[in-house]
């Protein structure tokens, strides 16, 4: 007999919650709980990146409190099994990823098992298990930081992935939390199409997919969700935005290095339409990133397409998830530090997509959207996927 299990997957880069401790956390959590309440899932997976924020040495202490406030909240009381994995061990530079994953199983959902990668066997999930630390020696999670030689020219930072493996009603699947490399400079991102950063992310994601599909364990359908840092193809987009403008390139005095790119309108008092610096991307008509959920820009979102042989994604019908203003009163405004982009995503293998139930009984059975679209959630809006998983009860 086929059973449907309602699942909610959420990815959230929570760096802002730690960089501005206490300021937005309450509203942020309320928006998360509202989403849970709307979709009433039986199985929830929350994947967090940048736990501890940029200044993690000073702020990692708040991580325990953040995770505790979720697991102990009234809203989660009907979930009687909880598994938590938090890599907060910043002292271990070679392995620190700042990833955190939380899994909640509703009391009405029976037959959930979790894989032990050492014993190579599934065990029934019971009670609450919480691992906070380096996660070395925790056998129900596989965690890896990307090898140093991945980015020979860049500062090595807390990027990597973390996988857990589950059986829900006889259906096995992998859930992978991932954080890929960001665009360090807007100017370098403009140099080529695809950018050097995009090429790095592509290598890193290939690496993740190869690791979770290799022969050490039987490959299973997978969902990989996190902050992929996917960006719009900056060079093509800038060429498009600056079509009818005069483009000036300002170089640093001493070197031949570009310091800024300025696009001015040909008439209209030469108004500056677009200005780009290493950490500035100021476009005069910011509304284009929001109207119709930024649909006109989706054609510049090309990084997933390189993986269509192995990866699927639901249609994006929400505006770019990053970089939102961290000002409380500007919840839908983008910061002009980066070109807005769909960084936060929920991707899946072809096999996993086949297990999503597509019944159409008036309600949308599959919802892919942001959490807290009209509330300040920090620089990243969390992204969720709500669906019913087709499982067999034998």
């Amino acid at each position: 007999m086929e059973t449907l299990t309602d699942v909610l997957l959420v990815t959230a880069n929570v760096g802002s919650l730690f960089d501005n401790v206490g300021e937005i956390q309450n509203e942020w959590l309320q928006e998360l709980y509202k989403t849970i309440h709307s979709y009433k899932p039986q199985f929830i997976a929350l994947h967090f990146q940048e736990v501890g924020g940029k200044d993690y040495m000073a702020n990692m202490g708040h991580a325990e409190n953040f995770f505790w406030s979720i697991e102990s909240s009234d809203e989660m009381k009907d979930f009687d099994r909880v598994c938590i994995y938090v890599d907060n061990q910043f002292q271990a530079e070679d392995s620190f990823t700042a990833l955190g994953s939380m899994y909640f199983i509703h009391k009405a959902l029976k037959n959930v098992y979790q894989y032990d990668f050492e014993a190579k066997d599934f065990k029934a999930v019971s009670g609450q298990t919480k691992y906070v630390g380096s996660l070395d020696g925790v056998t129900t999670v596989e965690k890896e930081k990307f090898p140093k030689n991945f980015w020979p020219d860049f500062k090595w930072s807390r990027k990597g992935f973390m996988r857990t493996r589950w059986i829900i009603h006889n259906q096995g699947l992998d859930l992978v939390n991932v954080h890929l490399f960001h665009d360090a400079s807007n100017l370098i991102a403009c140099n080529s199409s695809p950018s050097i950063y995009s090429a790095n992310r592509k290598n890193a994601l290939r690496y993740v997919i190869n690791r979770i599909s290799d022969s050490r364990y039987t490959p299973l359908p997978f969902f990989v969700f996190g902050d992929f840092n996917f960006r719009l193809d900056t060079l093509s987009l800038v060429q498009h935005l600056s079509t009818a403008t005069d483009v000036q390139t300002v170089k640093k005095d001493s070197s031949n290095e570009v310091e800024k790119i300025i696009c001015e309108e040909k008439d209209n008092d030469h108004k500056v339409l677009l200005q780009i610096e290493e950490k500035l991307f100021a476009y005069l008509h910011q509304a284009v990133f929001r109207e119709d959920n930024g649909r006109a820009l989706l054609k510049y979102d090309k990084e997933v397409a390189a993986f269509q042989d192995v990866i699927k994604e639901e249609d994006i019908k929400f505006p770019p998830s990053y970089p939102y203003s961290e000002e409380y009163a500007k919840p839908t405004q983008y910061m002009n530090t980066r070109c807005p982009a769909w960084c936060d995503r929920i991707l899946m293998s072809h096999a996993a997509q086949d297990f999503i139930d597509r019944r159409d009984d008036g309600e949308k059975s599959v919802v892919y959207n942001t959490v807290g679209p009209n509330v300040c959630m920090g620089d990243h809006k969390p992204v969720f996927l709500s669906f019913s998983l087709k499982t067999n009860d034998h």
Side-chain angles (χ1 to χ4, degrees):
M1 199 186 98
E2 191 175 80
T3 321
L4 295 177
T5 303
D6 291 331
V7 173
L8 180 69
L9 309 179
V10 181
T11 178
N13 179 317
V14 289
S16 288
L17 297 188
F18 293 90
D19 297 336
N20 314 292
V21 169
E23 286 172 37
I24 53 178
Q25 183 170 307
N26 266 350
E27 276 79 358
W28 193 101
L29 289 170
Q30 288 316 310
E31 291 301 312
L32 175 67
Y33 300 142
K34 270 184 214 165
T35 305
I36 291 169
H37 188 74
S38 306
Y39 296 99
K40 304 192 171 30
Q42 296 176 297
F43 184 96
I44 301 175
L46 307 178
H47 284 181
F48 300 116
Q49 306 82 39
E50 263 193 75
V51 172
K54 290 181 189 67
D55 194 2
Y56 47 82
M57 292 185 186
N59 292 328
M60 189 57 90
H62 300 285
E64 292 257 14
N65 170 11
F66 172 68
F67 287 92
W68 172 246
S69 65
I70 298 177
E71 64 179 298
S72 62
S73 78
D74 218 30
E75 282 80 1
M76 306 307 277
K77 66 178 184 305
D78 289 336
F79 294 85
D80 60 355
R81 282 145 293 164
V82 185
C83 303
I84 300 175
Y85 303 92
V86 185
D87 175 15
N88 68 349
Q89 207 58 42
F90 57 81
Q91 297 85 347
E93 202 191 326
D94 289 350
S95 64
F96 176 53
T97 61
L99 296 173
S101 300
M102 302 181 88
Y103 303 96
F104 292 86
I105 300 154
H106 195 278
K107 62 188 182 196
L109 178 59
K110 304 289 176 248
N111 306 331
V112 178
Y113 300 86
Q114 202 185 4
Y115 195 64
D116 183 312
F117 289 97
E118 205 164 85
K120 295 201 173 186
D121 201 8
F122 285 94
K123 296 177 180 152
V125 179
S126 61
Q128 282 152 342
T129 47
K130 187 174 184 181
Y131 302 100
V132 180
S134 71
L135 307 181
D136 293 347
V138 179
T139 58
T140 48
V141 69
E142 228 187 15
K143 185 196 88 175
E144 233 181 287
K145 185 165 179 166
F146 294 118
K148 245 193 176 121
N149 58 4
F150 249 61
W151 296 293
D153 311 332
F154 298 108
K155 188 169 125 262
W156 196 44
S157 59
R158 29 188 211 295
K159 302 289 190 290
F161 67 96
M162 190 151 96
R163 137 163 99 157
T164 53
R165 174 167 275 203
W166 304 82
I167 287 177
I168 301 174
H169 282 307
N170 289 324
Q171 181 50 57
L173 42 100
D174 275 343
L175 300 176
V176 185
N177 187 349
V178 69
H179 193 185
L180 303 184
F181 200 71
H182 62 285
D183 279 19
S185 160
N186 295 328
L187 293 166
I188 292 175
C190 287
N191 283 345
S192 60
S193 169
S195 78
I196 177 171
Y197 305 119
S198 172
N200 280 335
R201 287 189 284 271
K202 185 174 167 182
N203 289 340
L205 184 52
R206 241 339 135 189
Y207 179 83
V208 173
I209 292 169
N210 290 341
R211 286 297 279 164
I212 63 175
S213 317
D214 66 19
S215 58
R216 293 169 305 137
Y217 308 101
T218 309
L220 286 180
F222 61 80
F223 290 89
V224 51
F225 47 115
D227 178 2
F228 293 86
N229 262 312
F230 291 150
R231 303 302 167 99
L232 303 184
D233 182 10
T234 316
L235 180 59
S236 312
L237 177 65
V238 168
Q239 284 167 344
H240 166 71
L241 295 178
S242 62
T243 315
T245 64
D246 291 322
V247 181
Q248 288 175 294
T249 310
V250 181
K251 306 230 165 139
K252 287 191 182 138
D253 297 343
S254 50
S255 66
N256 211 12
E257 209 182 323
V258 175
E259 194 171 35
K260 43 180 92 146
I261 298 168
I262 299 171
C263 308
E264 295 179 347
E265 295 189 13
K266 286 195 186 339
D267 36 38
N268 199 8
D269 294 337
H270 300 285
K271 193 182 253 179
V272 174
L273 191 65
L274 175 64
Q275 182 162 333
I276 302 172
E277 297 171 21
E278 182 184 349
K279 289 187 164 48
L280 178 78
F281 191 97
Y283 182 57
L284 190 60
H285 308 299
Q286 207 199 69
V288 71
F289 297 111
R290 284 193 297 266
E291 60 203 19
D292 201 9
N293 293 325
R295 206 168 100 194
L297 301 165
L298 272 170
K299 62 169 176 290
Y300 300 102
D301 177 73
K302 302 175 178 176
E303 297 195 36
V304 177
F307 292 91
Q308 52 199 27
D309 56 326
V310 283
I311 291 284
K312 297 264 196 181
E313 183 179 25
E314 295 298 309
D315 292 341
I316 292 179
K317 296 192 170 96
F318 51 88
S321 63
Y322 172 85
Y324 282 92
S325 168
E326 294 177 293
E327 282 182 58
Y328 189 75
K330 299 181 175 173
T332 60
Q333 196 66 35
Y334 290 105
M335 285 192 284
N336 60 7
T337 48
R338 307 274 175 213
C339 178
W342 288 275
C343 293
D344 307 276
R345 314 280 276 256
I346 298 177
L347 309 180
M348 64 206 80
S349 61
H350 292 225
Q353 197 180 43
D354 292 340
F355 290 110
I356 293 182
D357 183 57
R358 301 278 166 191
R359 68 175 187 284
D360 212 27
D361 49 9
E363 288 176 65
K364 276 290 281 150
S365 57
V366 182
V367 182
Y368 187 31
N369 209 341
T370 52
V371 178
N374 301 309
V375 173
C376 177
M377 303 291 281
D379 57 355
H380 288 260
K381 295 276 188 213
V383 168
F384 74 89
L385 181 68
S386 168
F387 63 95
S388 295
L389 182 73
K390 292 192 280 200
T391 50
N392 292 307
D393 252 350
H394 297 308

